[in-house]
Amino acid sequence: IVAFCLTAGSAVFGYLYGLTGAAQYLTTYGVELALSIDNLMAFALILSQLGLTGAQARRALNHGLIGALVLHVVASTLGLSLLTSIPWGIPVGGAVLLALGVKMLMKNEEADGHDSKLVSFLSDRLKLGTTAVAIAAITFVNLIFALDSIPTALGITQLLPIIIAANVASVLGLSQLYVLLQRLMGRFDL
């Protein structure tokens, strides 16, 4: 999937926007995929905490990623419209990213503690079933982790089709990389 997304995306956007479009797609896709890798561990923690395995875990992951993808498209569209109407939007977005990075460096909490709180809230307070909790948690966690990728993508290009295609491609890649992660974890009894 990753090779297909690299080839097809760069060919399509190269045809539509020239060499610059192909370069913007490849850069945006690479950044989106790199920034999404940390999501895999959060997904593994959520699914293992809920005891979902095999087909059930895969179904919850795919539905959660679809929900996150819809929210990414909405956030990217809103972000782009905000940037076009406010010329100082990119520097402000950069400052927000910097502040988030500093805050993450200063925090000394475990990631699974946050996931546990989210899962507890969804299952105990909202009375959702296990699979629904997994889908909602994956969607929410992926959206939270997208706070860095959306402004970054908007800093690379302001062509919404490129941003959305790179986002879709990285989410498709995440699903496949999760399967690979699960196989590796099984080999090493992790």
Side-chain angles (χ1 to χ4, degrees):
I1 293 219
V2 173
F4 173 77
C5 290
L6 283 170
T7 307
S10 59
V12 166
F13 291 111
Y15 176 75
L16 292 174
Y17 302 108
L19 189 57
T20 302
Q24 287 178 346
Y25 171 78
L26 289 172
T27 305
T28 306
Y29 174 62
V31 167
E32 288 278 350
L33 191 59
L35 290 173
S36 297
I37 296 296
D38 58 348
N39 298 13
L40 294 175
M41 292 310 293
F43 300 159
L45 288 170
I46 290 167
L47 294 171
S48 68
Q49 183 180 5
L50 292 170
L52 295 177
T53 58
Q56 225 181 1
R58 181 97 166 129
R59 187 171 36 257
L61 176 67
N62 287 336
H63 284 91
L65 290 176
I66 289 168
L69 189 58
V70 169
L71 294 176
H72 276 244
V73 170
V74 170
S76 296
T77 305
L78 290 175
L80 183 60
S81 66
L82 190 63
L83 281 178
T84 55
S85 63
I86 302 173
W88 43 267
I90 289 178
V92 169
V96 168
L97 286 177
L98 186 60
L100 286 172
V102 169
K103 186 176 179 180
M104 286 172 54
L105 285 174
M106 301 303 225
K107 274 195 171 182
N108 197 15
E109 295 177 321
E110 300 264 337
D112 63 341
H114 292 299
D115 293 340
S116 297
K117 290 176 187 174
L118 174 63
V119 168
S120 296
F121 173 77
L122 291 170
S123 60
D124 297 341
R125 297 259 186 159
L126 299 180
K127 306 292 185 210
L128 296 176
T130 306
T131 304
V133 168
I135 292 168
I138 288 168
T139 301
F140 181 75
V141 165
N142 200 355
L143 182 64
I144 294 301
F145 285 164
L147 290 177
D148 59 353
S149 70
I150 291 170
T152 304
L154 291 170
I156 296 167
T157 182
Q158 294 191 2
L159 294 171
L160 193 58
I162 290 176
I163 294 170
I164 291 173
N167 210 301
V168 168
S170 70
V171 168
L172 290 173
L174 268 184
S175 181
Q176 296 304 308
L177 290 173
Y178 179 79
V179 171
L180 178 65
L181 176 68
Q182 285 302 106
R183 288 183 182 153
L184 289 173
M185 288 172 66
R187 271 192 190 175
F188 297 106
D189 293 325
L190 297 175

